[in-house]
Amino acid sequence: MIDLLNHPLYCITSDTVTSTHADQVSSMAQEGVKIIQVRSKKKFAREEVSRLRSAIKNARRLGACVIVNDDPILCNATGADGVHLGSNDAPPESARLALGEGKIIGGTVHSLDEAHALKLSGYCDYAGIGPFRNSSTKRELRPKLSLKDITQIISFLSPIPCFLIGGLNSLDFSLLSVTGARGICVCSGVNKGKNFGACLEHYTNESQKHYG
C-alpha cells in the first residue's frame, strides 16, 4: 500500500474547470500522475458515478491510485483505492470499518496536536500537512504552519508518508528534501482558469526530477 503513495505529485480534481471529474482522472493518469484525488462539493449523479468507476479502473491500469475525498460510500461505489478525510469528516476508524483493510485512508493535519491524534488512531496510511500558503480552492484555511512546524510534524509522523497542501506550485518540489515530505498536493496549479490540465505536463515533468 505504501508503494502506491511513493510519488512526489498528488493531483486533485476540481469543480471549477470545464472537464468532468471522470475526464480529469483519465487525463491525469494518462499524463503519468500516480496519485489522484477526486474532490467535489457536489453530489455526483448516478451517471457520473458510473463514469468515475470506468475512469478509475482505467487509471489503475496505468499505475495510478485514485482517492475519493470525504466519502467512503462513494469510494466503494466507484471502486476507488481509498478515501481522504478532513478534520471535520468521519473518524478514520469509521472509514476503515466501511472500507476494510485493503483501502487507503488519508487524513489532514493542521497542527502538531492533530498529528498526534492521527498517529494515535493507527488507521491513516498518509497525511496531508498544511496549509503551507493561501489556497484558491480552500479559502477558509489560512497558513499557520511555518517550515519548522511542518518539518517537526513530518518527523513526528514518520514513517507515515506526508504530502504538503495549500497553494503549492512546481517550484515547491524543492521542499521535499527540506521537510522530509513525500510529495506535494496540487489542484488549481495544473489548470489555467477553467482550462483543465493546461500545466499538467509541466508538473509531471518536474515531479520526475524528485521521484525516489
Side-chain angles (χ1 to χ4, degrees):
M1 185 179 296
I2 297 300
D3 287 344
L4 293 175
L5 301 170
N6 189 26
H7 297 276
L9 177 61
Y10 182 138
C11 284
I12 303 171
T13 65
S14 172
D15 283 333
T16 65
V17 295
T18 54
S19 299
T20 67
H21 288 270
D23 286 344
Q24 291 175 63
V25 168
S26 295
S27 296
M28 288 173 178
Q30 288 166 10
E31 196 60 53
V33 179
K34 299 304 182 186
I35 311 173
I36 301 167
Q37 183 187 137
V38 177
R39 185 173 72 189
S40 177
K41 294 181 180 179
K42 304 172 184 176
K43 185 175 177 62
F44 291 116
R46 182 179 300 176
E47 294 79 7
E48 182 67 2
V49 171
S50 179
R51 287 193 290 267
L52 276 170
R53 189 185 303 116
S54 296
I56 289 169
K57 185 176 181 180
N58 290 331
R60 192 175 292 113
R61 289 187 184 127
L62 294 170
C65 82
V66 183
I67 309 294
V68 170
N69 190 50
D70 293 350
D71 192 346
I73 295 174
L74 182 62
C75 177
N76 282 330
T78 58
D81 295 287
V83 67
H84 183 89
L85 303 173
S87 302
N88 298 318
D89 295 328
E93 53 267 35
S94 297
R96 180 60 72 204
L97 186 64
L99 297 175
E101 292 299 324
K103 299 289 187 177
I104 295 168
I105 295 177
T108 301
V109 169
H110 302 305
S111 67
L112 189 56
D113 285 344
E114 290 184 3
H116 276 273
L118 183 145
K119 193 168 188 177
L120 184 63
S121 80
Y123 290 102
C124 287
D125 302 295
Y126 77 88
I129 313 295
F132 184 66
R133 296 192 189 94
N134 287 326
S135 168
S136 61
T137 56
K138 290 277 189 175
R139 296 182 185 276
E140 72 277 11
L141 297 178
R142 291 292 177 263
K144 57 184 178 182
L145 295 176
S146 67
L147 200 59
K148 181 179 178 181
D149 293 331
I150 289 171
T151 303
Q152 182 183 12
I153 289 170
I154 292 172
S155 177
F156 170 77
L157 286 174
S158 181
I160 298 171
C162 295
F163 296 83
L164 303 180
I165 59 175
L168 296 154
N169 59 60
S170 61
L171 296 176
D172 292 321
F173 286 112
S174 62
L175 293 172
L176 303 187
S177 60
V178 175
T179 62
R182 179 68 55 85
I184 65 171
C185 296
V186 183
C187 182
S188 59
V190 301
N191 310 317
K192 281 191 176 179
K194 293 187 176 182
N195 182 17
F196 167 72
C199 305
L200 189 54
E201 182 179 6
H202 170 68
Y203 273 85
T204 55
N205 288 341
E206 287 299 306
S207 73
Q208 288 301 313
K209 301 174 184 178
H210 299 270
Y211 178 67

